[in-house]
Amino acid sequence: MRVLWPAFLAAMLAEGCFFALFDPREALHVGELALTPMAVYTLGFFFFWTFCALASMLTYYLVVVPDDPHPPF
């Protein structure tokens, strides 16, 4: 939870900022896939959550590892 909760909050902020600038109806057709606006919002959120989770995990690793003789990863 130390990694996923901050990543979730950051993903909400990132998605809000991103979709305030870009309309998901413009990205409905990706190749032969026809996506609804809700699907674009969902995929965007999970992309941002994954990216923010990786950043949070790296931050957690850098904070914990120097003090721990047995790193968690």
Side-chain angles (χ1 to χ4, degrees):
M1 288 311 297
R2 291 181 184 178
V3 171
L4 293 179
W5 181 244
F8 180 80
L9 296 176
M12 286 189 331
L13 180 65
E15 182 179 20
C17 292
F18 182 79
F19 286 117
L21 297 174
F22 298 102
D23 186 13
R25 285 175 278 179
E26 294 176 0
L28 293 179
H29 300 288
V30 179
E32 293 190 18
L33 264 156
L35 300 174
T36 64
M38 186 60 71
V40 175
Y41 284 131
T42 303
L43 291 173
F45 176 75
F46 282 117
F47 170 77
F48 285 124
W49 196 9
T50 302
F51 186 76
C52 292
L54 291 173
S56 292
M57 188 169 54
L58 177 61
T59 302
Y60 180 75
Y61 180 77
L62 292 175
V63 168
V64 171
V65 168
D67 298 333
D68 190 7
H70 304 290
F73 301 101

